[in-house]
């Protein structure tokens, strides 16, 4: 229980003060202008009809009746809930114990030089609703991409969601390594964490965390670098951190 309580605060520390890096390019993420996002879409999705979405809720439980009323007041006749468009005027009773992802459909546009201005306006409106994060859906292939004016890779252009403490939990689907489900082992069995029974997961190296969590660093160290120390060594390390 003591370790669990300490880890809770370590997660908050990394969310608030950690520097996020792109898992693919290994460079710090940084703000990206809407013009740059427009250029990216023109280069990779020209002539495709896309839906611009503003994420309002990401994997949270609740009814969200008040959110539906707010959205209706903003002119949204529908919200996209877990991939399905629902009417805000006849809002259903959502399962309060299920995690929901809710997006506002800002608009659709066929990407091309002639629609650059329209695309820019849709992206701008989406960022105003969702703290700079934009979801772009290709309805034909049902694929969704994330862009961000606050958190983007300067090399590949990939956008990232705002850091969340759940991202650093290997006991939750929000944070565990997708290849080992947070066990840290290559072939999880009933032997649990017995190092004699299995090898470490080659994807996470036994850290048990998803790539996005493994690539957040606090003064050069990941959260897994801190947790592999003893409690006393961790305390000494935290005491030695210095901030401006």
């Amino acid at each position: 229980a003591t370790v669990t309580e300490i880890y809770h605060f370590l997660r908050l520390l990394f969310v608030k003060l950690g520097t996020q890096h792109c898992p693919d390019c290994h460079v710090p993420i940084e703000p990206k202008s809407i013009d740059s996002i427009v250029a990216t879409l023109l280069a990779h999705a020209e002539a495709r009809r896309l839906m611009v979405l503003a994420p309002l809720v990401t994997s949270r439980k609740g009814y969200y009746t008040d959110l539906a009323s707010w959205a209706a007041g903003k002119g949204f006749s529908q919200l996209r809930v877990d991939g399905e468009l629902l009417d805000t005027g006849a809002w259903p009773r959502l399962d309060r114990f299920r995690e929901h992802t809710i997006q506002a459909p800002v608009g659709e546009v066929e990407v091309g030089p002639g629609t650059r201005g329209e695309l820019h306006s849709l992206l701008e409106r989406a960022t105003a609703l969702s703290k700079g994060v934009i979801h772009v859906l290709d309805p034909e292939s049902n694929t969704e991409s994330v862009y961000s004016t606050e958190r983007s890779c300067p090399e590949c252009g990939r956008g990232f969601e705002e850091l969340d403490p759940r991202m650093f939990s290997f006991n939750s689907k929000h944070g565990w390594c997708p290849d080992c489900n947070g066990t840290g082992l290559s072939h999880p069995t009933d032997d649990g964490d017995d190092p004699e029974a299995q090898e470490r997961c080659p994807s996470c190296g036994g850290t048990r965390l998803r790539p996005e969590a493994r690539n957040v660093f606090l003064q050069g160290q990941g959260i897994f670098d801190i947790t592999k120390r003893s409690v006393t060594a961790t305390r000494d390390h935290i005491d030695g951190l210095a901030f401006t």
Side-chain angles (χ1 to χ4, degrees):
T2 303
V3 174
T4 301
E5 290 164 6
I6 293 172
Y7 194 66
H8 173 71
F9 289 102
L10 285 177
R11 290 191 294 163
L12 293 177
L13 184 67
F14 273 76
V15 166
K16 296 298 183 181
L17 297 176
T19 300
Q20 190 172 10
H21 289 61
C22 174
D24 301 316
C25 305
H26 307 293
V27 296
I29 64 173
E30 57 187 36
K32 184 174 184 178
S33 69
I34 291 179
D35 286 332
S36 296
I37 299 174
V38 169
T40 299
L41 291 172
L42 285 172
H44 298 288
E46 187 171 356
R48 302 177 76 169
R49 188 163 189 84
L50 303 178
M51 177 183 288
V52 177
L53 302 158
L56 304 178
V57 173
T58 303
S59 299
R60 297 287 184 182
K61 298 176 183 179
Y63 296 123
Y64 294 106
T65 304
D66 292 341
L67 179 64
S69 299
W70 172 86
K74 292 288 185 179
F76 292 100
S77 60
Q78 293 181 316
L79 289 178
R80 189 168 182 259
V81 182
D82 304 326
E84 180 183 358
L85 290 173
L86 301 180
D87 292 338
T88 55
W91 192 249
R93 187 176 179 83
L94 301 181
D95 185 346
R96 66 171 297 191
F97 299 109
R98 176 186 172 189
E99 292 182 346
H100 301 289
T101 293
I102 303 177
Q103 303 156 305
V106 177
E108 293 189 39
V109 61
E110 184 173 322
V111 179
T115 60
R116 178 188 288 269
E118 182 182 356
L119 178 59
H120 190 284
S121 296
L122 291 176
L123 296 176
E124 196 169 45
R125 188 182 182 198
T127 59
L129 293 168
S130 58
K131 297 181 181 179
V133 180
I134 306 162
H135 292 178
V136 177
L137 172 69
D138 184 339
E140 186 175 338
S141 62
N142 197 34
T143 56
E144 199 168 309
S145 302
V146 178
Y147 298 92
S148 174
T149 58
E150 301 294 329
R151 292 167 291 277
S152 293
C153 174
E155 293 192 7
C156 69
R158 176 182 173 184
F160 296 88
E161 303 280 359
E162 186 176 8
L163 290 178
D164 186 318
R166 296 180 298 172
M167 181 187 295
F168 297 95
S169 173
F170 41 74
N171 292 318
S172 161
K173 65 181 180 180
H174 300 291
W176 68 36
C177 168
D179 292 328
C180 67
N181 290 347
T183 64
L185 304 173
S186 56
H187 300 290
T189 68
D190 293 337
D191 294 316
D193 293 337
D194 183 0
E196 300 297 327
Q198 292 118 349
E199 298 178 0
R200 290 181 177 180
C201 170
S203 297
C204 68
T207 65
R208 307 168 70 177
L209 294 170
R210 60 188 283 186
E212 293 83 356
R214 298 198 306 270
N215 284 275
V216 179
F217 300 99
L218 180 64
Q219 298 190 1
Q221 297 207 316
I223 195 168
F224 49 86
D225 291 314
I226 296 178
T227 55
K228 68 184 180 183
R229 295 183 173 96
S230 67
V231 173
T232 302
T234 298
R235 182 197 61 195
D236 293 340
H237 173 75
I238 297 298
D239 284 344
L241 293 177
F243 301 99
T244 59

